[in-house]
Amino acid sequence: MKIATFNVNDVTKRLENVLAWLGTSRPDVACLQELKCTDKDFPVGRISKAGYDPVWQGQRSWNGVAILGRGHQPVLTRTALPGDPADVQSRYLEAAVGGVLIATLYAPNGNPQPGPKFDYKLAWMKRLLKHAAELFAIDAPVVLAGDFNVVPTDADIYPSKSYANNALVQPEPRALFRKLLKQGWVDAIREIHPDEPMYTFWDYRRNRWERGAGLRLDHLLLNAKAVKRLTDAGVDREVRGLEGASDHAPAWIILRDTASKPRKQSRTPPKAKQPKKTARGNGPAAKRPLLVIDGDSFAHRSYHALPKSIRRSGDKPAGAILGFANMLTRLYREELPRAVLVGWDTLEETTYRHEALPEYQSGREFDEEILDQLEVLPRFVAACGFQNAKAAGYEADDFLAAAAAKEEKRGGTVVVASGDRDAFQLASDRTTILYPVRAGELARIGPAEVRERYGVEPKQVPDFIALRGDPSDKIPGAPGVGATGAASLIKRYGSLEAALAAGRFPAMADTLRLYQSIATMDKKAPLPSLRAQEPTWHRASELARDWELSQLARRLAELGRQ
């Protein structure tokens, strides 16, 4: 079950944005705050048409909260925070959805402080604290989701003195938030992402979004029953950058359907001599998959997703390092591989692709800060006890293909993690592609998914790319063909070569063959040893400590003790 919280900052004004987010992120439960509309003005029709059953408590001005359920009708249990019958502000709603008790809350902002608004904020939070203690004891999973209007620690706000007098960072509300955690509630975002800022709010003023100057105000707190089911959490940061966006971004968690094992136990890698049984790997290392990762792909995704304010020793950039490290440890815990190989591009050297097609990947310019991190990331991989593959004349894709071919030949299975859809050509009954889609989710791509997406078989993907083209790599393709036309031609003739033999595209046959060869991954790329590995998390922890990434170092050290 995916549960999200989103301060929409006027649901009627930003309805198209909200509906677009619901359509792409597809949470099972969406908790909304700051509706800024009355009950009768709530857009129930449009939301229902989008596939969600809502319950809501509207109000003019700044308040209003709602819970939307997809596939489960929310069963309303409370429409106000108890403790003050005179409080008529619509800030709290509680409902049971799919066996989980969920509260959506919009805590008072409290500004200006000191003053009556700040006093109301503290009184409201004390009432929440009392009610939360009762909810925590319920023998069922409970989630408190919403805009708490509290920055819990200095790590949850960009370096700034401009908020020093703001109610969001004052000691009193921070102390009340800590009391919630002392009751046993778990901050889900921090549980999964202990090191990253994970901002959820960027003020419209002073170019704070453009500067990455954010705050973490939106939280999902889990009781003991819920945290046992926690598998992932994140922030849909890109939503904040859309035209007409709210000043908040949605935060979300994923709870697995059953709670048979505690989260940490289920994510713990097996000991080499006593591997644990899992859904994707059990028994000796020989029966566990080889995990192959496109290092450049995930390093670039991390670089652009995380704030540039994350630094390591010497005031050097570290956002890509931190995001990549989180991804690597996550994949290891979830896939339980027998060995890990990370492939890298050699940016300072051209390949035969660049020589054969000068415009191939032309125009790409990388910031110095990502280049700095790409240079040191292989050190981190090696410190983890895993293998790197990098050689002049080859791209990361080529190492993925070579490793998959070698592992399949020895009778093993492969998991290939890549954000490049060219990797779909590797999908087989033994090789699965992990492709990032949205909100931290990784789609598992096999031959059936390739056929569904492209209308061709995995082995036909290079033919498809040659005909359709690939704008990101500057492969033009056949003029006027497009994706639908390319799939139709391949389905009719069986291959690009067969289409050319039948007389199609006579004037550019050699050119299309060139495009196909460029799109084909080189299975003969040189590989290091792919023997079974035992992670050396303690060495990675020492390296992170040298880089002054202390929270990452502690997390890696904990992995080493498990």
Side-chain angles (χ1 to χ4, degrees):
M1 174 184 281
K2 184 175 184 179
I3 303 170
T5 180
F6 188 10
N7 180 319
V8 296
N9 189 15
D10 196 326
V11 70
T12 54
K13 180 180 179 180
R14 308 186 201 282
L15 181 58
E16 298 305 323
N17 285 34
V18 173
L19 293 174
W21 167 70
L22 290 173
T24 55
S25 185
R26 299 294 286 166
D28 298 290
V29 182
C31 300
L32 309 183
Q33 304 89 38
E34 205 171 343
L35 302 179
K36 292 186 178 179
C37 72
T38 62
D39 282 346
K40 67 180 181 65
D41 292 329
F42 184 78
V44 59
R46 296 287 304 278
I47 286 175
S48 298
K49 188 176 180 180
Y52 286 86
D53 293 314
V55 291
W56 68 96
Q57 188 81 355
Q59 194 170 43
R60 289 191 184 278
S61 184
W62 308 105
N63 301 325
V65 285
I67 298 176
L68 319 181
R70 181 169 65 89
H72 296 280
Q73 171 67 52
V75 179
L76 198 60
T77 58
R78 187 175 289 277
T79 59
L81 186 65
D84 184 0
D87 186 0
V88 296
Q89 296 194 29
S90 295
R91 294 184 174 275
Y92 187 90
L93 200 64
E94 192 176 285
V97 190
V100 180
L101 185 62
I102 300 172
T104 179
L105 62 92
Y106 178 42
N109 176 278
N111 283 305
Q113 70 85 31
K117 291 186 177 181
F118 189 66
D119 294 340
Y120 172 62
K121 176 188 184 80
L122 298 182
W124 195 94
M125 290 190 68
K126 289 175 182 177
R127 288 160 52 203
L128 174 65
L129 193 64
K130 183 177 180 180
H131 184 55
E134 299 175 2
L135 294 179
F136 186 85
I138 292 176
D139 188 23
V142 183
V143 178
L144 301 180
D147 179 359
F148 284 69
N149 264 318
V150 176
V151 178
T153 71
D154 288 346
D156 299 300
I157 182 172
Y158 76 103
S160 172
K161 294 181 180 180
S162 61
Y163 278 91
N165 295 320
N166 197 292
L168 305 176
V169 301
Q170 295 310 303
E172 297 93 331
R174 282 183 167 183
L176 291 170
F177 189 86
R178 286 195 300 271
K179 285 186 177 181
L180 275 172
L181 301 183
K182 287 181 180 179
Q183 287 180 350
W185 295 95
V186 172
D187 183 344
I189 293 290
R190 278 288 169 250
E191 182 75 359
I192 299 296
H193 303 281
D195 308 324
E196 302 169 35
M198 304 303 292
Y199 300 145
T200 64
F201 170 83
W202 297 260
D203 196 294
Y204 293 125
R205 297 168 295 179
R206 301 180 184 176
N207 291 319
R208 286 195 171 105
W209 165 249
E210 292 77 6
R211 295 189 291 115
L215 294 73
R216 193 168 73 96
L217 299 178
D218 305 86
H219 313 297
L220 297 111
L221 304 188
L222 280 57
N223 75 340
K225 291 283 185 178
V227 78
K228 290 180 180 180
R229 294 170 52 176
L230 178 65
T231 64
D232 204 0
V235 176
D236 290 343
R237 191 174 185 271
E238 67 279 3
V239 174
R240 174 60 178 84
L242 300 176
E243 184 177 355
S246 167
D247 44 8
H248 290 251
W252 52 267
I253 59 172
I254 295 177
L255 305 181
R256 67 170 175 266
D257 292 336
T258 60
S260 57
K261 293 182 180 179
R263 185 186 66 86
K264 289 186 177 179
Q265 181 180 350
S266 68
R267 293 166 66 99
T268 300
K271 299 296 182 182
K273 295 182 180 180
Q274 295 179 325
K276 298 177 183 177
K277 293 184 178 181
T278 70
R280 300 193 181 109
N282 58 56
K287 294 184 179 180
R288 289 153 55 197
L290 172 70
L291 174 61
V292 190
I293 300 170
D294 184 335
D296 289 81
S297 172
F298 284 97
H300 279 281
R301 292 179 70 88
S302 299
Y303 176 74
H304 292 291
L306 297 179
K308 307 303 182 288
S309 57
I310 302 175
R311 317 298 287 183
R312 67 185 197 272
S313 55
D315 195 33
K316 293 182 178 180
I321 294 172
L322 187 58
F324 180 88
N326 289 339
M327 180 279 307
L328 180 61
T329 54
R330 170 190 171 184
L331 288 178
Y332 189 88
R333 289 190 300 257
E334 293 181 353
E335 302 303 326
L336 299 173
R338 69 169 191 83
V340 179
L341 174 74
V342 182
W344 301 97
D345 293 338
T346 305
L347 298 177
E348 62 272 16
E349 299 284 347
T350 59
T351 69
Y352 77 90
R353 297 179 176 95
H354 300 88
E355 294 169 357
L357 184 67
E359 59 266 37
Y360 176 67
Q361 295 183 344
S362 61
R364 292 186 177 182
E365 295 184 5
F366 300 138
D367 296 344
E368 286 296 326
E369 292 206 339
I370 180 61
L371 295 175
D372 172 89
Q373 294 173 87
L374 285 170
E375 184 177 346
V376 300
L377 270 169
R379 284 181 57 199
F380 178 79
V381 172
C384 291
F386 306 142
Q387 289 280 18
N388 291 288
K390 183 176 182 179
Y394 297 94
E395 298 180 32
D397 283 352
D398 297 326
F399 300 114
L400 272 56
K406 184 174 182 179
E407 190 70 7
E408 286 192 359
K409 186 176 181 180
R410 67 184 292 274
T413 58
V414 190
V415 175
V416 175
S418 174
D420 188 343
R421 283 175 288 187
D422 290 2
F424 289 5
Q425 65 190 267
L426 304 179
S428 73
D429 59 347
R430 288 185 172 272
T431 297
T432 299
I433 314 302
L434 291 182
Y435 180 74
V437 282
R438 65 182 72 88
E441 296 179 16
L442 294 169
R444 301 186 77 85
I445 306 295
E449 287 73 24
V450 176
R451 289 191 290 269
E452 181 181 353
R453 286 170 178 248
Y454 284 174
V456 301
E457 297 294 327
K459 67 179 181 180
Q460 297 170 325
V461 167
D463 300 37
F464 175 82
I465 294 173
L467 288 166
R468 181 206 61 185
D470 187 341
S472 65
D473 283 340
K474 301 294 178 66
I475 300 176
V481 173
T484 302
S488 297
L489 286 166
I490 293 170
K491 186 175 181 179
R492 177 179 178 183
Y493 294 103
S495 69
L496 170 64
E497 193 59 43
L500 297 177
R504 303 302 300 263
F505 310 105
M508 60 180 311
D510 289 341
T511 301
L512 290 174
R513 290 188 182 101
L514 172 63
Y515 295 164
Q516 181 206 44
S517 69
I518 287 174
T520 302
M521 296 178 174
D522 188 352
K523 296 181 180 180
K524 296 181 180 180
L527 294 172
S529 169
L530 297 179
R531 291 192 298 266
Q533 301 161 349
E534 180 74 10
T536 52
W537 302 122
H538 64 285
R539 287 178 51 207
S541 176
E542 291 171 0
L543 180 59
R545 191 172 294 107
D546 289 343
W547 284 340
E548 297 179 4
L549 300 174
S550 56
Q551 293 185 5
L552 175 61
R554 285 196 295 272
R555 187 150 48 88
L556 291 166
E558 182 182 347
L559 277 175
R561 290 191 291 270
Q562 292 174 345

